Amino acid sequence: MEGKFDKWDERFMKLAGEIAQWSSCFQPNRKIGAIIVRNKRIITTGYNGAPAGVESCVEREECIRRNLGIPSGTKHELCFAIHAEQNAIIQAAKLGISIEGAVMYCTHQPCVICAKMIVNSGISRVVYKEGYPDDFALRIFEMAHVALEKYQA
């Protein structure tokens, strides 16, 4: 779904892109960022990267997914990284902050695992810029009545 976007959507999408640059993913095209916002206030941010205390792919200088020839959008469990959306939700939980009714801004469309977490966390709207090969995620958002909007500048 494409919606009408305002200056706040533009600001938060730009910031999601900046947060993505913090990623510890070895593949430059897989740097993903997410921001959770409520009432025009940033609640948490997230980027894809290895869990705390685990050597990242950048530090390893290799990508296990690329080494194994795993196509994008499949076998999410075979990756050292936690997705940006997951990290943003985890950060809110760690800080004890409710994200009920919040908006998530993402550089990429969330995968089905992230979609399920987003739905159960109470986020009501997701705005993303780049597509992702996961049609089942789209179905989850539709079934749960979570607004999913592809950002158009």
Side-chain angles (χ1 to χ4, degrees):
M1 172 181 168
E2 294 181 17
K4 182 179 177 196
F5 301 99
D6 64 18
K7 68 179 181 179
W8 288 101
D9 293 320
E10 181 181 355
R11 289 172 179 168
F12 292 130
M13 285 304 299
K14 283 182 180 177
L15 189 52
E18 185 64 31
I19 299 296
Q21 299 311 305
W22 302 351
S23 169
S24 62
C25 185
F26 191 66
Q27 296 188 68
N29 65 330
R30 291 277 99 206
K31 293 189 177 294
I32 315 296
I35 299 172
I36 300 176
V37 174
R38 188 174 41 235
N39 299 324
K40 299 179 183 153
R41 302 275 186 227
I42 297 167
I43 298 172
T44 63
T45 64
Y47 54 90
N48 58 326
V54 175
E55 192 174 47
S56 74
C57 297
V58 167
E59 292 166 329
R60 294 176 198 287
E61 296 184 3
E62 68 172 342
C63 174
I64 188 174
R65 294 181 61 79
R66 188 176 355 173
N67 292 350
L68 296 173
I70 298 170
S72 183
T74 65
K75 299 186 179 182
H76 302 287
E77 71 279 8
L78 293 176
C79 181
F80 286 102
I82 298 172
H83 289 189
E85 303 91 331
Q86 294 168 7
N87 269 327
I89 292 168
I90 290 165
Q91 188 65 24
K94 199 172 174 180
L95 297 172
I97 300 170
S98 172
I99 52 178
E100 184 81 29
V103 177
M104 179 179 275
Y105 293 89
C106 311
T107 56
H108 292 68
Q109 173 205 310
C111 72
V112 70
I113 295 168
C114 291
K116 292 174 189 179
M117 291 178 69
I118 289 165
V119 166
N120 272 4
S121 72
I123 290 171
S124 60
R125 177 181 178 228
V126 176
V127 180
Y128 70 96
K129 188 172 182 182
E130 302 293 331
Y132 187 72
D134 193 336
D135 291 337
F136 193 51
L138 302 177
R139 189 169 168 202
I140 294 292
F141 284 123
E142 183 179 337
M143 291 172 70
H145 306 288
V146 171
L148 179 67
E149 302 172 15
K150 182 169 176 37
Y151 179 74
Q152 300 289 328

